[in-house]
Amino acid sequence: MKHQITLAKQIQQQRYSDALVVFLAGSFVRGEATAYSDLDLVVIYESLPHAYRESFTYQSTPVEAFVHDAETLEYFFESIDAPSGIPSLMQMVIEGIELPERSETSTRLKALAQRYMDIGPPPLSQEQIDRQRYAITDMLDDIREPRSYHELIATGAKLFETLADHHCRINGRWSGSKKSIPRVLKKHDKTFSELFMHSFECLFREGDPDLVITLAETVLEQSGGSLFDGYVQNAPESWRKR
């Protein structure tokens, strides 16, 4: 960890010397980094024409930098992270190590991120819930009797993320994506997390979908059950070529 902090300080001094603060976040801070992990940085300036994200390599270490000022940062909290249900940027600021040091600005931004985190994600609309119910129902039908093992795995991979997100959101919890899903589920409910992971292990390792089907049907019961008959999804009126 000391090595990563040293690298981050060097990047801050050489590349972002005019920034108010840099937060070092991600897997290195959580103690979960691998040899291929990115160094995640949230860089805050006094003022920018627009926020941006940039990727580069520094001393053989891949770096992902999310560059903001206070106004763009809060916009992302409120209008990007919150509606998605995935508090990526909030979490990076909350857990981030301040560079070059803690300041009034870094303390204020951490408090801002924590405030949005404590509010929680906005509730899903009935339309959003039904869209997820329909998608999960469709995927369950595909894994009940797949045409091949490869189709089973492809559908199962998509279902892994969709089902986890549905479970989190209908319970008013922050969600995750891709590799963050196991960590998010475990944080919310260890027992459910263990059942979820075991069910999908049986699907991926043994090609057996039965536990996943049972798990998904149980999750769906909380939001109205499987959905197919009578489901209508309207396209926006503006979707037409004149």
Side-chain angles (χ1 to χ4, degrees):
M1 184 60 192
K2 289 182 179 180
H3 175 64
Q4 285 74 37
I5 292 177
T6 298
L7 285 180
K9 285 182 176 179
Q10 291 173 353
I11 294 170
Q12 181 264 325
Q13 292 166 1
Q14 296 175 21
R15 196 177 185 104
Y16 306 115
S17 60
D18 294 336
L20 297 177
V21 64
V22 173
F23 296 98
L24 169 61
S27 56
F28 285 109
V29 174
R30 295 192 302 270
E32 301 170 350
T34 71
Y36 296 95
S37 293
D38 296 337
L39 200 65
D40 293 320
L41 304 176
V42 180
V43 183
I44 308 297
Y45 282 92
E46 179 72 32
S47 179
L48 290 173
H50 56 79
Y52 62 95
R53 173 178 177 172
E54 62 177 351
S55 305
F56 56 92
T57 301
Y58 182 82
Q59 294 187 11
S60 302
T61 299
V63 181
E64 292 275 7
F66 304 83
V67 187
H68 289 269
D69 61 26
E71 292 180 348
T72 66
L73 187 72
E74 185 166 8
Y75 177 89
F76 269 71
F77 289 167
E78 183 177 282
S79 301
I80 306 297
D81 274 10
S84 76
I86 303 173
S88 303
L89 193 59
M90 298 179 207
Q91 190 63 47
M92 283 194 284
V93 172
I94 291 169
E95 72 183 12
I97 297 173
E98 301 107 305
L99 303 173
E101 61 187 2
R102 183 178 301 176
S103 66
E104 181 180 344
T105 297
S106 69
T107 300
R108 176 170 54 83
L109 294 178
K110 278 181 172 288
L112 178 67
Q114 189 64 60
R115 185 159 69 248
Y116 276 97
M117 184 72 81
D118 292 342
I119 292 172
L124 293 175
S125 67
Q126 191 59 52
E127 180 182 358
Q128 290 172 313
I129 292 173
D130 288 347
R131 189 181 301 126
Q132 288 191 338
R133 288 171 59 204
Y134 178 81
I136 293 169
T137 300
D138 182 57
M139 285 184 275
L140 287 181
D141 288 342
D142 287 340
I143 69 172
R144 290 181 198 277
E145 193 172 340
R147 285 182 289 265
S148 70
Y149 173 74
H150 299 113
E151 286 193 9
L152 175 66
I153 296 304
T155 305
K158 179 64 175 176
L159 181 59
F160 181 92
E161 189 162 6
T162 305
L163 185 62
D165 183 64
H166 188 68
H167 170 74
C168 290
R169 297 303 302 279
I170 63 174
N171 285 286
R173 298 166 176 165
W174 289 110
S175 187
S177 66
K178 296 178 288 188
K179 65 183 180 182
S180 72
I181 289 173
R183 183 174 68 251
V184 168
L185 291 181
K186 186 176 181 179
K187 177 182 178 181
H188 291 323
D189 186 334
K190 185 178 179 180
T191 300
F192 178 84
S193 172
E194 291 174 350
L195 176 60
F196 188 96
M197 296 306 158
H198 175 66
S199 299
F200 276 93
E201 283 175 5
C202 289
L203 187 149
F204 293 134
R205 289 182 178 177
E206 303 168 18
D208 182 356
D210 289 350
L211 289 179
V212 168
I213 292 170
T214 299
L215 174 67
E217 290 175 339
T218 300
V219 171
L220 285 174
E221 286 176 4
Q222 300 177 57
S223 57
S226 300
L227 180 60
F228 182 82
D229 284 335
Y231 177 65
V232 176
Q233 186 173 354
N234 294 317
E237 293 180 6
S238 61
W239 285 17
R240 63 176 70 242
K241 182 69 175 178
R242 299 187 184 278

